[in-house]
């Protein structure tokens, strides 16, 4: 981003003078972005095909003699001009980039490509027009080499564009499912309107089988929603009043009324697209290192070519001018960084595409290198290891009849503990009793009547205020206890705990197998945190921490040489996520947590942490392999081009 008061036109002109194109940012649909990517791919592939076809024809002539002999100056002069036209048509951007770099007194890979292919063409035309200045054994034209270099580099760019397109298509399918028209409730009546006209606060009716058009809160209705295309989770999720829903997900079996809170570019789906685009256009540190190496490598090759030509001119055999010209040009041609140009973009683009399909939203490709080197991962408890919502883990003294009474009360309540008891009853296929005179008492519990019986659910303190005396034996387990009272008799209780994510223990074990130290940081009580840590296999637990305590602990570990990944979901985790070397945010967490993180785990699985570490290691390893191969090629063949094998 650029921040300042410079007029946009002047800013664009400055970027163009630096050798690049620029235009003001426009919020376009993903369909338009995808179409632009496809057009760019077709253009790059077309340029590559043209250059490679010309190169193949010239190479075939070496064996099949399809074209006139090299002594036919007129024919080969025309061929040379055609080759020059193809070079500028398919590779003109390399020459413009090299010229811009020269104007800025720097050198890039465009400089080497332009020098290498330009030198090959000049040398070939020298063979055609004035062959006598070259020794007989060196009179070979290299038109095909110039075309092959441009063709293969363009092919790399075309494949890079194709990889970007594949990464975006995983998200594109969601946008294709989002309805173009929606039912908006206005003045108590339904009206069909384009989704683009929706604004914050609009109420939208979503019928069974329809896709949700906006992010928002359910204000009426009860249904299951399939979020698999967004999170990768196969199980449909129950949505009712107060539930948060996301654009692009599918409403399965009930009718919902949703209050719009995120529309258009504000939805989670649109944010995913932006983050993927930002990540694809960023470079990891290792890629910037290549740019820095290229800035030194290019001038070094030019100096080496000059030095080679000079040494052959001073000490080479006759004709010294011919050998000097041949070796100097050969160094420039052989150093053309074809492999170097493909070494990093392909690995990054394909890796980011794989991450997107695995439910990993990578904000910036720079984080890949850091994630590959993580030595420890710090997990928040609530909302990260646990789901952040209570579930009934046990009930005592509650039979089917009394559970029906409890269900009848709690189904009328909006409290999170009430939802857990409702889910518990429905899982057991219990029908809710008809309740009259329902009352909710803030901070205490709920009361009502079933037939002639008074029924109450709530804490011990609340029920004692309503005349209860005979409570069951004290509950030793950590958790919230909700007692059920019929008339003045406490018949039993429900024990509720924050549900641990199903794959949490497996994810912790997998990270440990990869040599990563796993630690829990929690603001909860020590006994609660310790119980959760024991269940998932974490030995190091720090509990009762404030947000600044979490931040300080992470900085302490970093000062000790640890490379720290932090996983969190809430506002209280945002500072720690920002301070960590790699921040992981849970996909259903708060917006500020996701904005502070480097990688967002879509869905409810912690397994994405281990997957991201594994994927990052694979990407970085592949980049290093590519770079080693590319530099080995140059290091080995530049001396050959300089004539080191001439005595042999």
């Amino acid at each position: 981003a650029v921040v300042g008061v410079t007029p946009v036109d002047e800013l664009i002109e400055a970027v163009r003078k630096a050798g690049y194109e620029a235009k003001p940012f426009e919020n376009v649909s993903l369909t338009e972005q995808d179409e632009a990517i496809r057009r760019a791919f077709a253009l790059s592939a077309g340029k590559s095909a043209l250059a490679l076809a010309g190169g193949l024809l010239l190479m075939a002539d070496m064996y099949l003699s399809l074209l006139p002999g090299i002594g036919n100056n007129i024919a080969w002069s025309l061929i040379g001009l055609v080759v020059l036209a193809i070079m500028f048509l398919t590779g003109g951007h390399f020459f413009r980039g090299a010229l811009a770099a020269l104007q800025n007194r720097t050198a890039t890979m465009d400089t080497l490509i332009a020098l290498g292919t330009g030198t090959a063409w000049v040398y070939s035309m020298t063979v055609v027009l004035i062959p006598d200045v070259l020794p007989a054994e060196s009179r070979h034209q290299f038109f095909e080499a110039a075309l092959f270099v441009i063709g293969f580099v363009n092919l790399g760019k075309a494949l890079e564009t194709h990889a970007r397109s594949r990464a975006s298509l995983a998200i594109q399918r969601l946008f294709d499912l989002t309805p173009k028209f929606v039912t908006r409730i206005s003045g108590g009546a339904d009206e069909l309107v384009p989704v683009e006209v929706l604004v914050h606060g609009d109420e939208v009716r979503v019928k069974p089988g329809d896709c949700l058009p906006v992010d928002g809160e359910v204000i009426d209705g009860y249904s299951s929603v399939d979020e698999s295309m967004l999170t990768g989770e196969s199980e449909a999720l129950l949505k009712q009043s107060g539930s948060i829903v996301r654009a692009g997900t599918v409403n399965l079996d009930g009718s919902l009324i949703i209050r719009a809170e995120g529309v258009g570019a504000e939805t989670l789906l649109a944010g995913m697209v932006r983050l993927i685009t930002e990540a694809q256009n960023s470079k990891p540190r290792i890629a910037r290192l290549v740019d820095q190496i290229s800035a030194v490598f290019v001038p070094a090759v030019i100096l080496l070519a000059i030095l080679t030509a000079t040494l052959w001119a001073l000490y080479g055999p006759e004709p010294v001018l011919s050998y000097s010209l041949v070796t100097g040009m050969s160094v420039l041609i052989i150093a053309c960084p074809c492999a170097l140009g493909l070494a990093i973009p392909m690995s990054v683009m394909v890796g980011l595409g794989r991450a997107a399909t695995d439910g990993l939203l990578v904000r910036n490709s720079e984080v890949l290198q850091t994630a590959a080197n993580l030595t420890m991962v710090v997990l928040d408890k609530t909302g990260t290891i646990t789901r952040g919502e209570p579930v009934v883990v046990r009930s005592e003294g509650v039979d089917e009849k009394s559970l029906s009474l409890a269900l009848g009360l709690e189904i009328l309540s909006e409290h999170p503990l009430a939802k857990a008891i409702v889910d518990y009853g429905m899982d057991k296929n219990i029908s809710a009793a008809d309740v009259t005179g329902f009352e909710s008492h803030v901070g205490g519990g709920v009361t009502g009547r079933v037939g002639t019986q008074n029924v109450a659910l709530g804490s011990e303190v609340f029920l004692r205020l309503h005349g209860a005396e005979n409570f069951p034996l004290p509950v030793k387990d950590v958790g919230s206890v909700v007692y059920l009272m019929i008339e003045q008799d406490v018949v039993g209780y429900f024990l509720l705990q924050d549900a641990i994510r199903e794959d949490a223990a497996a994810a912790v074990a997998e990270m440990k197998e990869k040599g990563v130290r796993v630690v829990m940081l929690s603001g909860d009580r020590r006994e609660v945190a310790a119980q959760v840590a024991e269940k998932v296999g974490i030995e190091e637990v720090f509990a009762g921490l404030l947000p600044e305590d979490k931040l300080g602990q992470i900085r302490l570990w970093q000062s000790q040489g640890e490379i720290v990944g932090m996983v969190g979901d809430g506002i209280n985790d945002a500072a720690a996520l920002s301070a960590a070397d790699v921040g992981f945010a849970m996909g259903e967490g708060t917006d500020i947590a996701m904005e502070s993180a480097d990688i967002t785990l879509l869905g409810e699985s912690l397994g994405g942490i281990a997957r991201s570490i594994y994927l990052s290691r694979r990407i970085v390893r592949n980049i290093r392999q590519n770079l080693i191969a590319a530099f080995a090629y140059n290091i080995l063949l530049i001396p050959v081009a300089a004539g080191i094998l001439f005595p042999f």
Side-chain angles (χ1 to χ4, degrees), residues 225-425:
V225 174
D226 179 3
E227 297 187 344
S228 59
M229 67 283 294
L230 191 64
T231 66
E233 295 293 327
S234 58
E235 185 178 351
L237 300 178
L238 182 66
K239 301 293 181 180
Q240 56 189 356
S241 181
S243 298
I244 300 300
V245 292
R246 299 293 186 182
T249 57
V250 181
N251 181 29
L252 295 178
D253 48 22
S255 180
L256 296 174
I257 298 178
I258 300 165
R259 180 187 298 111
E261 295 178 351
V263 297
E266 300 170 347
T267 64
L268 174 65
L269 203 56
M272 289 168 57
V273 177
R274 284 196 300 273
L275 289 178
I276 288 175
T277 303
E278 290 171 9
Q280 289 176 336
N281 290 326
S282 63
K283 287 185 178 180
R285 287 194 302 276
I286 195 169
R288 293 202 296 270
L289 175 63
V290 171
D291 290 340
Q292 294 165 3
I293 292 173
S294 297
V296 176
F297 180 67
V298 174
V301 168
I302 295 172
L303 289 175
L304 184 59
I306 295 171
L307 179 61
T308 299
T310 303
L311 290 175
W312 277 91
L314 294 175
Y315 304 109
E318 290 292 339
V320 292
L321 181 60
S322 298
Y323 283 113
S324 173
L325 184 62
V326 169
T327 53
M329 288 188 171
S330 297
V331 169
L332 290 176
I333 293 171
I334 206 69
C336 204
C338 226
L340 197 61
L342 303 178
I344 292 176
M346 287 304 301
S347 295
V348 171
M349 298 310 304
V350 173
L352 289 175
R354 174 65 183 273
T357 57
D358 282 356
L360 303 172
L361 187 57
V362 182
R363 176 181 296 278
N364 192 302
S365 63
E366 180 177 345
V367 79
L368 295 173
Q369 191 175 353
T370 307
N373 298 318
L374 286 178
T375 61
M376 72 181 299
V377 169
V378 178
L379 300 172
D380 173 49
K381 182 185 73 68
T382 306
T384 302
I385 297 176
T386 66
R387 294 181 180 276
E389 57 186 33
V391 295
V392 176
V393 295
R394 192 174 79 246
S395 65
E396 293 288 345
V398 181
D399 57 19
E400 289 190 11
K401 182 179 179 181
S402 56
L403 181 55
S404 175
L405 300 179
L407 191 58
L409 273 177
E410 296 291 44
I411 207 168
L412 300 174
S413 172
E414 296 183 356
H415 195 280
L417 296 183
K419 178 183 180 301
I421 294 174
V422 170
D423 291 343
Y424 179 73

Side-chain angles (χ1 to χ4, degrees), residues 184-191 203:
R184 181 174 65 183
I185 302 173
S186 180
D190 290 356
E191 59 177 348
E203 294 182 4

